[in-house]
Amino acid sequence: MLVTDDNVEPVLGVGKAELSEAKGRRWLHRSAALQSHHTYSWNDLNTSLRYGNLGPDQVRLVGGDVSVDELFHRAVAGGSRTFLRIVPEAVHRALATGGTLVIDQLDLINPWADQVARALAGIFTTRVQANLYASLCGAPGFGAHKDTHDVFVVQGRGKKHWTLGTGADTSQLTMVAGDVLYLPEGTSHDVATGAEGALHITFAIPRPNVQELLSWTISHSQDTGLLAAIDEGDPGATATALAERTHKISDTDVSTFLEEGLSRGVAPSYVNLPYAVREAEPSGTTTLFARRSFVNILPDGADEHAQVLACLSATDEMAVEDLLSVSGVSKPLDVVRELAQRGLISLSER
């Protein structure tokens, strides 16, 4: 069973029902969907560059007069350990000469991007990755193209001019800070930056496909016939036998495939060290608080775990002592401990 927050609109700027209806069918644009100070700013980019421990494998440059290698210099810590440091002057020069700075997997280093990616993962049932695009001086875009995955775009700062579709179906729109845009896979789009520069974050949503389902089904199958050697003299017989087996895939198989894929792809939102669930402490000592993650995976039949999660939200905290008394399950402490171990709830002390 897939469990997500009922209300993701404060995070995504669009309701779960509306986004689910548009999924894979049509593009969707919302103006001023999010408050700009709750998205990603130039100051956030400065923080990511300074503290994100970024390297050439996560940073790209498109255009401009600076190479990616020039963005880094090698530093030494502790007399022997070497690591790469961003060179601020090189970043400035790259942007000033018309380059676009791209940071892949922003969700791994920025809490806001991680939060949005998880909310989208709950709707699309897949691992979602955030990529940042920052440019100045009206830098040119990448040209008209189509992505092989769905995308969800949040405008952080500045303006981006989008051309969607081709021919008679072409639409024009300008995104400003706080706007969001959803594009299904295969939607043609061309993007240009406003003269004052801009940054936006694209969340790549690679929806699971039938090929992946078949591969997963075969790898999990207990059918020894799938291990039989292919008859080189009669390949048609093997093809027929395999086709017959694919028809045995059930709704339960598909649901399990989706849930396992999301569970593998999304790491726990919160690291709870050095905290651990324990019995309520005597009055006057530190209180342990809990809140839930935006995306949670529970196996079928985990009803008591779902009851505990239903008492929590991802934005408000509840004292664990209170949670144990109101959850209405038989062994609430064990359930809370298991949820924490799975990364489905966050624990903190105050």
Side-chain angles (χ1 to χ4, degrees), residues 133-157:
Y133 299 84
S135 52
L136 296 174
C137 307
F142 301 154
H145 63 283
K146 300 178 181 179
D147 291 321
T148 57
H149 50 260
D150 293 9
V151 295
F152 184 84
V153 183
V154 177
Q155 189 68 26
R157 292 295 184 270

Side-chain angles (χ1 to χ4, degrees), residues 10 42 59 72 149 178 187 212 215 230 268 271 294 349:
W42 290 105
V59 176
F72 301 91
H149 50 260
T187 303
E212 294 169 347
S215 297
I230 296 175
V271 177
F294 271 91
E349 289 180 340

Side-chain angles (χ1 to χ4, degrees), residues 29-109:
H29 174 232
R30 284 288 175 270
S31 298
L34 297 169
Q35 297 181 5
S36 60
H37 61 277
H38 287 162
T39 60
Y40 191 89
S41 67
W42 290 105
N43 283 337
D44 292 321
L45 175 56
N46 291 334
T47 300
S48 296
L49 292 173
R50 185 173 183 180
Y51 299 111
N53 196 29
L54 298 168
D57 59 334
Q58 202 172 348
V59 176
R60 294 179 283 142
L61 280 174
V62 180
D65 297 334
V66 177
S67 68
V68 171
D69 291 340
E70 295 178 69
L71 293 184
F72 301 91
H73 75 268
R74 192 169 297 280
V76 179
S80 59
R81 185 175 67 87
T82 63
F83 60 98
L84 296 176
R85 279 282 197 184
I86 291 285
V87 181
E89 296 79 5
V91 176
H92 298 161
R93 189 167 67 255
L95 296 178
T97 56
T100 295
L101 177 71
V102 182
I103 298 179
D104 295 326
Q105 296 182 304
L106 184 70
D107 51 296
L108 297 183
I109 62 172

Side-chain angles (χ1 to χ4, degrees), residues 25-344:
R25 299 177 179 87
R26 60 184 178 87
W27 61 269
L28 176 66
H29 174 232
R30 284 288 175 270
S31 298
L34 297 169
Q35 297 181 5
S36 60
H37 61 277
H38 287 162
T39 60
Y40 191 89
S41 67
W42 290 105
N43 283 337
D44 292 321
L45 175 56
N46 291 334
T47 300
S48 296
L49 292 173
R50 185 173 183 180
Y51 299 111
N53 196 29
L54 298 168
D57 59 334
Q58 202 172 348
V59 176
R60 294 179 283 142
L61 280 174
V62 180
D65 297 334
V66 177
S67 68
V68 171
D69 291 340
E70 295 178 69
L71 293 184
F72 301 91
H73 75 268
R74 192 169 297 280
V76 179
S80 59
R81 185 175 67 87
T82 63
F83 60 98
L84 296 176
R85 279 282 197 184
I86 291 285
V87 181
E89 296 79 5
V91 176
H92 298 161
R93 189 167 67 255
L95 296 178
T97 56
T100 295
L101 177 71
V102 182
I103 298 179
D104 295 326
Q105 296 182 304
L106 184 70
D107 51 296
L108 297 183
I109 62 172
N110 177 260
W112 169 81
D114 175 64
Q115 189 179 66
V116 175
R118 290 173 184 281
L120 290 168
I123 296 174
F124 289 86
T125 323
T126 189
R127 169 73 168 92
V128 177
Q129 174 178 311
N131 298 328
L132 168 79
Y133 299 84
S135 52
L136 296 174
C137 307
F142 301 154
H145 63 283
K146 300 178 181 179
D147 291 321
T148 57
H149 50 260
D150 293 9
V151 295
F152 184 84
V153 183
V154 177
Q155 189 68 26
R157 292 295 184 270
K159 296 180 180 180
K160 289 279 187 175
H161 307 294
W162 290 71
T163 301
L164 305 177
T166 57
D169 295 329
T170 299
S171 298
Q172 305 277 345
L173 61 89
T174 297
M175 291 185 62
V176 299
D179 283 11
V180 301
L181 174 68
Y182 164 71
L183 300 178
E185 173 187 344
T187 303
S188 177
H189 57 280
D190 194 0
V191 188
T193 305
E196 75 281 10
L199 61 84
H200 75 272
I201 302 87
T202 294
F203 294 85
I205 309 169
R207 294 162 60 201
N209 57 51
V210 174
Q211 179 181 6
E212 294 169 347
L213 172 60
L214 291 176
S215 297
W216 177 88
T217 302
I218 292 172
S219 66
H220 287 70
S221 176
Q222 302 299 316
D223 188 346
T224 57
L226 292 174
L227 300 177
I230 296 175
D231 185 352
E232 297 179 5
D234 190 3
T238 300
T240 300
L242 183 58
E244 290 175 352
R245 287 180 171 86
T246 60
H247 291 306
K248 297 179 182 179
I249 299 175
S250 66
D251 293 346
T252 301
D253 293 330
V254 177
S255 297
T256 303
F257 161 71
L258 293 174
E259 290 176 5
E260 287 192 10
L262 181 57
S263 181
R264 290 191 303 271
V266 180
S269 290
Y270 305 98
V271 177
N272 297 314
L273 300 176
Y275 310 119
V277 178
R278 56 180 179 273
E279 299 289 352
E281 297 288 351
S283 178
T285 61
T286 301
T287 301
L288 191 65
F289 288 86
R291 69 175 183 175
R292 62 182 285 190
S293 174
F294 271 91
V295 177
N296 308 299
I297 300 298
L298 289 175
D300 287 331
D303 296 331
E304 290 195 339
H305 295 70
Q307 286 179 243
V308 172
L309 281 175
C311 298
L312 300 171
S313 78
T315 53
D316 296 318
E317 295 177 328
M318 176 183 289
V320 170
E321 183 177 4
D322 296 334
L323 178 62
L324 296 179
S325 63
V326 303
S327 59
V329 302
S330 57
K331 295 182 178 180
L333 184 60
D334 292 341
V335 172
V336 169
R337 181 182 290 111
E338 291 172 11
L339 289 171
Q341 291 172 343
R342 291 171 67 97
L344 304 184

